[in-house]
Amino acid sequence: MNYYSLNKQAPYTTFKDAVIRGLAPDKGLYFPETITPLPASFFEDIGQLSYETIAFEAIKQFVVPDIPASILKTIIADTLSFDFPVIPITDNIATLELFHGPTMAFKDVGARFMARCLGYFNENNTNDVTVLVATSGDTGGAVAHGFLNVKGINVVILYPSGKVSHIQEMQLTTLGHNITALEVDGTFDDCQAMVKTAFLDAELCNHMQLTSANSINVARWLPQLFYFMFAYKQLHKTHKELVFSVPSGNFGNVCAGMMAQQLGLPVKHFIAANNANNVVTRYLKDAIYQPHPSVQTISNAMDVGDPSNFVRIQEIYKNSFTTIQEHLSSYSFTDTQTQDALLELYSQYNYVADPHGAVGYLGCKAYLKENPRAYTVFLETAHPTKFLNIVEEVINQKQPLPPQIQAVMGKEKVAIHISTYGDLKTFLMR
Ligand SMILES: *Cc1c(COP(=O)(O)O)cnc(C)c1O
């Protein structure tokens, strides 16, 4: 499978090269040259297939032969060592829980898959690769955990001091080994700007092989399409037409769902559920795509002012505004609405959601108002205890800490303080 850059100014390349580079030389996102639908029998028999088989069949065209089929199977088995249950909430709303992995955010699957791909590509390479990533919270922990002790890979995570939750900070600062946390005096946007500057710094790039581990990387983005297939495996017997409500920030997850649909998965529609960062909600109203600086909300993993994967959605639908509208609706919700939704889910349905999942639930309700016969599934993208203060305050109820979270509490935090790009460069060139 070849990949091309969406900026169309860089040569076609392999899966391997796309994973190692992250971004094409023309700064465009990579996109697969072809998408071949799976046979109808795959979806008819999906109830009998294991998660691992479903994942392998769905992703192999994008990965083999750069990674041989037998190794891809092992990578998938390692990646998917936890559950992805669908939990019904009402007659026409269910949730797909994606937080049962080691850091309790849906990013675990993409980070683990990418780490193992990069580890395979780098097995016989004498030069280390450095994964440089900025995080507003969840990416850091998932990437740190996914890449821990992968040979030949060093991970450097930049996070904004005092702006991630305590649990998130512990998840990314306590692992040691090949993982280094840089605590930045500044905002997430400052962290991201430093990472971007590093990728454009010729002296630095000659000195070391840098790559990114956010959803612009095809190896982190594509495995997210598994979730939608796993939901279908659990729900196909209901013979309902599925509508997925995806709490969206950089739009990697919802865009992966659209790839699953391109592979033939029966999906009726997608909902991008947004917080106050509503570029796409506004775009779908007036066809004008207007990025703006991100604003801080209680669903902070979605505080994105210019979603990087939106160009991939445009590519899937051939840049047709009307086709995008046919497949995607988007709604934006305030923090107050999100808190009310958390409380409603708890008091009426005895379900404890996290703020991101609550935004997804609101997306279902908004869509059902216009389409009362739909069956909607919102993705629960993080475990509620990752946002303990907000959740406990809203539902007025103490939450037990799951074992994955207990394991990092009380460990020693190790982070290097930096303030400027100069500090980052000095650290990397050392
Ligand atoms: C990253 C994240 C999102 C947003 O996912 P995108 O793929 O960037 O749209 C939503 N919820 C949680 C909990 C996340 O960590």
Side-chain angles (χ1 to χ4, degrees), residues 36-44 57 263:
T36 309
L38 296 163
S41 59
F42 173 84
F43 296 103
E44 285 155 17
E57 292 300 325
L263 290 173

Side-chain angles (χ1 to χ4, degrees), residues 4 24 177 179 205 240 271 281 286 291 311 320 329 333 345 406 410-411 420 427:
Y4 60 95
H177 298 279
I179 315 294
C205 295
K240 300 202 156 106
I271 301 161
T281 306
D286 52 23
V311 284
S320 158
S329 299
F333 304 99
L345 278 164
Q406 276 177 26
K411 279 200 183 168
T420 62
F427 171 78

Side-chain angles (χ1 to χ4, degrees), residues 104-107 136-139 168 215 220-221 224 246-255 274 299-304 307-309 354 356-357 379-383 386-387:
M104 313 209 86
F106 83 93
K107 292 182 171 76
S136 59
D138 279 343
T139 299
Q168 288 173 329
S215 54
R220 231 201 83 186
W221 168 57
Q224 300 179 144
V246 187
S248 294
N250 264 320
F251 281 66
N253 208 6
V254 67
C255 183
N274 287 154
S299 47
N300 63 9
M302 312 199 294
D303 295 350
V304 179
S308 48
N309 283 286
D354 96 297
H356 304 77
L379 276 49
E380 184 35 305
T381 46
H383 191 277
K386 290 198 84 172
F387 304 91

